[in-house]
Amino acid sequence: MQVLVKNSFAQEIELRGAHESFWDPNVFYMDDNFSISELISLSDPLGFSPFYFLDPRMAFLISQLNKGGELFARGLGPIGTVATMGKVQKVMHTEDFHKVGKVIEEYLPKGNVQNLSNYDQVIVFGENEVDEILWNNLRVGGFYLIGSMGGSIVYPKEAFEAFGKVWPIGSPTEFGWKFQDSISGLNEFEFTKIKKLK
């Protein structure tokens, strides 16, 4: 299952056969009336692609990023990594730079990829513990976001504060939220967003 994530750099397109996700008005589920050929025909052939096609779990995780600042991204793939670039100022990532460059051409006027030694946010997808090196390079007051599909999240020993909210499906964990809903595509997905305090 995939969802459509609106690209803020592309023309506005009125979607038919799609409905908003419960977590972000810019993320859409496609229903039986959705037509990819209609979407292509409505798109500006000289402009940027109007939507990213992403796994719902990845789209959820990316939607929880704060706007601005410097980001380290891992595990999002080229398209997910580029989707973060619409939200932050600078990104350092572990993806193939050639592949990311090709995706940037399709979605963004430019990508601001940097070699960063410290960052304001870290986002990792498909992992279940806080990486000590990434945690040490995260600035005090910065946020670490994890989207796990492989068990409970393991937290750092250092001081942190959990940030979250109550969602209409799933249930809280000690410091995050766990989804078990296959209809939304968020099955077996645990999420946390923590703030580094020291």
Side-chain angles (χ1 to χ4, degrees):
M1 171 186 285
Q2 290 191 317
V3 291
L4 298 168
V5 179
K6 190 175 180 184
N7 179 7
S8 59
F9 292 97
Q11 72 179 66
E12 190 78 28
I13 291 179
E14 187 174 324
L15 278 178
R16 288 190 301 179
H19 59 277
E20 284 182 15
S21 69
F22 66 84
W23 70 85
D24 188 327
N26 296 310
V27 178
F28 301 90
Y29 285 96
M30 297 165 276
D31 62 30
D32 293 339
N33 297 316
F34 178 78
S35 166
I36 190 77
S37 58
E38 182 179 349
L39 176 63
I40 292 168
S41 71
L42 292 171
S43 301
D44 178 358
L46 302 177
F48 298 114
S49 292
F51 296 96
Y52 299 94
F53 286 79
L54 294 174
D55 180 293
R57 296 167 290 194
M58 187 180 297
F60 177 90
L61 183 64
I62 292 170
S63 75
Q64 302 307 303
L65 283 169
N66 294 342
K67 290 196 180 284
E70 298 173 338
L71 172 72
F72 181 92
R74 184 165 67 198
L76 299 172
I79 295 175
T81 299
V82 171
T84 68
M85 293 177 188
K87 297 193 82 159
V88 299
Q89 293 166 334
K90 297 177 183 174
V91 177
M92 182 176 180
H93 62 84
T94 58
E95 301 300 326
D96 179 296
F97 276 82
H98 178 71
K99 290 179 181 176
V100 169
K102 290 289 186 194
V103 176
I104 287 172
E105 291 174 10
E106 185 178 342
Y107 289 96
L108 305 176
K110 64 178 182 166
N112 203 342
V113 179
Q114 303 280 323
N115 285 322
L116 306 170
S117 56
N118 297 99
Y119 7 87
D120 303 302
Q121 296 182 87
V122 171
I123 186 170
V124 294
F125 182 69
E127 299 182 22
N128 70 336
E129 64 182 89
V130 173
D131 181 297
E132 187 176 337
I133 294 170
L134 295 180
W135 181 260
N136 290 338
N137 290 329
L138 180 64
R139 294 182 180 106
V140 173
F143 289 91
Y144 199 113
L145 292 79
I146 298 179
S148 169
M149 296 170 294
S152 297
I153 294 173
V154 179
Y155 293 90
K157 296 180 177 76
E158 295 82 9
F160 66 86
E161 180 182 358
F163 278 72
K165 61 185 274 184
V166 176
W167 300 101
I169 61 173
S171 57
T173 62
E174 186 177 9
F175 299 112
W177 199 265
K178 183 156 188 171
F179 297 97
Q180 294 285 4
D181 181 62
S182 59
I183 294 171
S184 69
L186 299 176
N187 49 313
E188 299 299 321
F189 181 61
E190 187 169 335
F191 162 75
T192 196
K193 180 177 182 177
I194 57 174
K195 182 178 183 179
K196 184 175 180 178
L197 298 180
K198 293 185 192 178

